[in-house]
Amino acid sequence: MRIACLGGGPAGLYFAILAKRADPTREIEVVERHRPEDSFGRGIVFSDRALETLRQADPPSHAEITRNFRHWSDIDIHFKGERITAHGHGFSGIARASLIRILQARAEALGVKVSNGSEFTDPSPWDDRDLVVGADGIRSAVRRSREARFEPVVRESRNRYLWLGSTRRFDAFTFAFRETAHGWFNLHGYRYDERTSSCIVETPETVWQAAGLADMGYEESLAYAEQLFADVLEGEPLIGNSQRFDHPSGWQRFAGIRCRRWWDGHTVLIGDAAHTAHFSIGSGTRLAMEDAIELARCLSRDNGDLASALARFQAVREPLALRALETGFRRMEWFEDIAAHAHLAPDAFAVALLTSSGRLDLEELRRRDPQLMGSFSATAR
Ligand SMILES: Cc1cc2nc3c(=O)[nH]c(=O)nc-3n(C[C@H](O)[C@H](O)[C@H](O)COP(=O)(O)OP(=O)(O)OC[C@H]3O[C@@H](n4cnc5c(N)ncnc54)[C@H](O)[C@@H]3O)c2cc1C
């Protein structure tokens, strides 16, 4: 079987690893525009549960990934001059570039051909392959080449965000909120290696316009965000990305995407190409890698009957992807409307934020952090 994976992010590389491991006679090529060290983005987080899934799917890459991890269990919420700490949340962070490097090395060791520095505009050059995997992310050219077949449904956030790094070494997953004359800004920060943290700075489109950020260049935007959150950053700088942006200021809008159909003939979409989840729930990479696991499993199970394998793949993964999309939308809406929660006292605000996606309820929060919930109940009385 000859397989082309178009896009060498977490989904494409992980699928290549698992498909090659399942059948070493398969000829698999991954086509990717970047070199691993130029990969976009900063750090990404995995929950403890997500790691267990990776351990079961491919122990060698799991071992390498966990060797590069930064683990933490606290969440700090900075609001109205107070810091509320919530304990008992298990997460691990890793640099996206490290994850890509590990997956690419593992894929190549198994005999997968990875062509870095190759940009494609549509999948037609690989039409003669038995299977074409569109793993080319949120702006997928593979999806765009057959929109009428995949039928994507897109909902854009009302917020703008910058995905940056910082030399500020956060000890906890950190949320910080700032009110300006134009409205609210928020920062999500988490450390992913000894020296660096990921920082996402977000604000509603209306505030972004009013603050004049739409007319600023990328460097000016960084300086603005750096100054706004200087105290939480403890004077450390924000670091930009070499990514391509939709807007010259670098501020992007998250697009929630779902496709009604994930496959067409011998072409299938996986990861962000097929569906996205808002970054505030930190699940996109896990979902992309779980897609890879399921697609490899379906191919092995329905060996020879590609249509059945691809139909089964969508049937298994779509409900889970839709659930994550909805969970992410709930969180996204909460961040789009911070002004509506700003009247809350800091501890009530923290509890509202932590339960905003619906994944955690008050009972679970009490189990994880009885002290936080105790003080919240006392002030709420
Ligand atoms: C601000 C932000 C923070 C995030 N934080 C987290 C987090 O903490 N945890 C988490 O799990 N997820 C997070 N995510 C989501 C995560 O980044 C994605 O869900 C995940 O990367 C999807 O993996 P993928 O392989 O499907 O796509 P991608 O990672 O986008 O990979 C696609 C690959 O295809 C390549 N490619 C695309 N088009 C072409 C082309 N035409 N030619 C050649 N190559 C091409 C790209 O270079 C890329 O390497 C975050 C996302 C954002 C925006």
Side-chain angles (χ1 to χ4, degrees):
M1 187 178 206
R2 295 171 73 215
I3 302 175
C5 284
L6 304 186
L13 287 169
Y14 206 49
F15 169 73
I17 291 169
L18 300 176
K20 186 74 178 171
R21 232 184 58 161
D23 181 353
T25 67
R26 288 174 176 154
E27 229 178 84
I28 305 179
E29 181 186 6
V30 176
V31 184
E32 167 59 43
R33 64 157 74 101
H34 290 130
R35 292 174 303 158
E37 59 274 28
D38 298 333
S39 171
F40 69 85
R42 288 284 163 185
I44 45 173
V45 291
F46 286 109
S47 68
D48 290 348
R49 210 171 49 182
L51 285 177
E52 179 52 24
T53 307
L54 300 188
R55 192 186 63 75
Q56 286 174 15
D58 185 48
S61 56
H62 169 267
E64 268 304 299
I65 290 168
T66 48
R67 240 196 300 281
N68 283 267
F69 261 154
R70 170 97 213 153
H71 193 270
W72 73 91
S73 62
D74 287 353
I75 299 178
D76 279 349
I77 297 164
H78 297 253
F79 180 63
K80 292 185 183 166
E82 280 191 41
R83 186 183 72 187
I84 307 289
T85 299
H87 303 285
H89 306 268
F91 284 103
S92 303
I94 185 170
R96 179 182 157 100
S98 303
L99 177 67
I100 298 295
R101 184 177 35 75
I102 291 165
L103 296 180
Q104 178 157 338
R106 171 83 174 127
E108 286 175 329
L110 288 166
V112 171
K113 180 179 172 208
V114 183
S115 306
N116 290 112
S118 314
E119 174 114 22
F120 52 85
T121 48
D122 75 86
S124 56
W126 293 274
D127 264 352
D128 65 343
R129 303 302 197 272
D130 300 302
L131 176 64
V132 176
V133 180
D136 51 345
I138 195 162
R139 292 185 185 80
S140 172
V142 178
R143 186 183 66 228
R144 267 186 281 117
S145 72
R146 294 184 202 190
E147 282 204 337
R149 304 293 298 162
F150 295 127
E151 293 186 68
V153 181
V154 181
R155 173 181 163 192
E156 281 207 320
S157 171
R158 288 189 280 119
N159 276 7
R160 291 264 175 183
Y161 73 88
L162 289 170
W163 191 5
L164 306 164
S166 175
T167 44
R168 162 77 161 98
R169 291 178 280 183
F170 291 111
D171 291 325
F173 194 109
T174 299
F175 290 107
F177 298 84
R178 284 287 170 280
E179 189 174 20
T180 68
H182 310 290
W184 285 90
F185 285 77
N186 63 278
L187 174 146
H188 320 205
Y190 46 94
R191 188 157 150 195
Y192 61 82
D193 65 23
E194 281 315 305
R195 286 164 290 126
T196 335
S197 298
S198 220
C199 285
I200 301 165
V201 179
E202 216 193 342
T203 191
E205 171 95 17
T206 46
V207 178
W208 178 75
Q209 295 274 3
L213 288 158
D215 303 318
M216 287 185 196
Y218 189 56
E219 294 305 322
E220 247 184 307
S221 282
L222 251 67
Y224 183 96
E226 207 171 270
Q227 201 179 3
L228 195 57
F229 290 101
D231 56 344
V232 183
L233 293 169
E234 295 182 347
E236 293 292 329
L238 288 170
I239 309 162
N241 275 313
S242 57
Q243 201 185 339
R244 302 170 186 194
F245 301 114
D246 299 336
H247 192 279
S249 66
W251 292 84
Q252 309 192 72
R253 286 171 75 172
F254 168 77
I257 296 177
R258 57 172 293 206
C259 288
R260 293 199 197 284
R261 199 162 172 191
W262 291 23
W263 62 283
D264 179 40
H266 70 327
T267 302
V268 63
L269 301 177
I270 66 171
D272 272 14
H275 54 83
T276 58
H278 192 253
F279 50 78
S280 62
I281 63 165
S283 298
T285 308
R286 168 182 65 83
L287 289 164
M289 293 173 80
E290 286 175 356
D291 277 0
I293 295 170
E294 190 57 41
L295 181 59
R297 192 181 287 150
C298 289
L299 278 185
S300 294
R301 195 179 303 155
D302 290 303
N303 208 2
D305 183 353
L306 191 62
S308 298
L310 300 186
R312 187 196 296 266
F313 165 65
Q314 177 172 355
V316 173
R317 291 300 299 161
E318 189 177 17
L320 300 163
L322 289 184
R323 199 166 67 192
L325 185 68
E326 286 307 319
T327 303
F329 278 152
R330 278 197 292 276
R331 235 323 153 65
M332 178 179 97
E333 285 161 7
W334 201 91
F335 280 105
E336 286 173 347
D337 212 5
I338 288 168
H341 317 289
H343 65 282
L344 293 170
D347 56 354
F349 183 86
V351 169
L353 165 60
L354 293 169
T355 53
S356 59
S357 74
R359 264 186 184 166
L360 274 183
D361 59 14
L362 293 179
E363 208 43 54
E364 177 59 15
L365 212 50
R366 185 168 289 115
R367 194 188 65 72
R368 292 188 187 188
D369 190 345
Q371 205 184 337
L372 171 74
M373 289 308 288
S375 76
F376 165 63
S377 306
T379 51
R381 236 176 259 139

